[in-house]
Amino acid sequence: MSTKTLPLSKIAIAAAASLGMALSVSSIAPNWLASIAPVASVHAQTSTPKGQGGPSADRGSKGKHGSSTEPGASGSGQGGPSADSDAKGPKYGGGGSKPAAGTQGGKPAWAQEGIPSDLELGRLNVARAPSHVLDRSLADALSSMQPTFYNQVLAIADNATLSMDQKVAALQTLVKSTFTDTSIVMVDSPLQNLALYKDMLSTGQIVSASGTYDANTATRALLLAAVFIGTASDKTLPVSPATVDAVNKIMSLTLPAGVSDTDLGAAAEAVRAAIAEAHG
């Protein structure tokens, strides 16, 4: 078998031809690739990677915490926490916004007094109304109070021949009569009754346009308070000692000597029941 030797000139010509083809392919490759993958071509030409959903490479933008200081800077998302951040979210607020141990933070004073979360107050929730609202309600109540009903409440309280149970029963009868006798009128508004309750416990009396009603004995204070709490409450939501305690805590009130949450809760419940029965 013989080996055919090519002249040197032919080898040189073949090498030159191969080199020329390679150069030709490399010169057209970017354009050809760009025609089928323009995004990849742009990335290859700019050498600037884009984040998911970021702006184009020729226009920088600022994220929520990031910044763009030069044209062509890549965009940023919301960004990570700063170097001095405690890495806590806004709901946590960081250590500086945490309430002190054993406190309720920015809640009102009554929210820190241990009122049971499952205690239903119904209409008595208006006790949380701002003081200026209660003041306005008190002024309305004092201008509209009629003496017939409230004088009879005090007469029942002062009747020494009646036991406490009999006095509460007589109070129930009097409350029911306001639904049939138009000459006997009691304040009906929950806000006005709570305003009267607060005024009586704060001053020891009710001074209205029609007269003064002194709560200068424990029994007088008990029956007047029972009228105010029982009338302000829901007709279908029983009043209990816990109800009385909650209202007093919300309104920052203290019962007078000789009157307990238990006694007032029972008397106020009797008034509420009488109203519910009269309504039918």
Side-chain angles (χ1 to χ4, degrees), residues 33-44:
L33 289 173
S35 67
I36 64 172
V39 175
S41 177
V42 170
H43 287 191

Side-chain angles (χ1 to χ4, degrees), residues 29-268:
N31 294 332
W32 176 75
L33 289 173
S35 67
I36 64 172
V39 175
S41 177
V42 170
H43 287 191
Q45 292 174 25
T46 60
S47 299
T48 304
K50 287 174 62 177
Q52 184 176 357
S56 62
D58 59 350
R59 183 178 178 184
S61 68
K62 295 196 296 182
K64 187 171 183 180
H65 296 295
S67 62
S68 177
T69 57
E70 297 180 2
S74 61
S76 61
Q78 290 187 357
S82 60
D84 58 351
S85 170
D86 58 5
K88 302 293 185 180
K91 186 174 182 180
Y92 176 84
S97 66
K98 290 193 299 182
T103 70
Q104 297 289 330
K107 292 182 181 180
W110 54 260
Q112 304 180 33
E113 295 299 330
I115 296 175
S117 60
D118 59 345
L119 179 64
E120 295 186 44
L121 294 178
R123 296 200 309 176
L124 290 173
N125 271 306
V126 296
R128 295 183 168 95
S131 58
H132 69 274
V133 174
L134 286 172
D135 290 343
R136 185 167 60 248
S137 296
L138 176 61
D140 293 339
L142 294 178
S143 65
S144 62
M145 285 182 75
Q146 297 186 25
T148 304
F149 175 80
Y150 297 97
N151 280 334
Q152 289 191 54
V153 172
L154 296 182
I156 292 172
D158 294 341
N159 190 337
T161 65
L162 300 176
S163 67
M164 181 56 68
D165 289 343
Q166 290 173 326
K167 290 179 180 181
V168 172
L171 180 62
Q172 282 186 303
T173 301
L174 176 61
V175 169
K176 292 177 185 178
S177 70
T178 63
F179 291 85
T180 57
D181 188 342
T182 57
S183 67
I184 304 176
V185 180
M186 59 191 295
V187 175
D188 182 65
S189 162
L191 263 174
Q192 290 183 18
N193 273 282
L194 286 175
L196 289 168
Y197 177 72
K198 180 179 180 180
D199 186 48
M200 186 197 72
L201 291 190
S202 300
T203 66
Q205 61 183 356
I206 299 292
V207 181
S208 73
S210 61
T212 298
Y213 310 98
D214 287 316
N216 49 10
T217 68
T219 306
R220 281 188 165 209
L222 173 64
L223 295 191
L224 282 173
V227 168
F228 299 143
I229 295 293
T231 306
S233 67
D234 285 65
K235 293 187 298 293
T236 59
L237 191 61
V239 179
S240 67
T243 304
V244 174
D245 179 63
V247 171
N248 288 338
K249 286 176 178 177
I250 290 171
M251 303 183 77
S252 300
L253 298 174
T254 302
L255 293 177
V259 179
S260 67
D261 291 344
T262 300
D263 292 339
L264 180 51

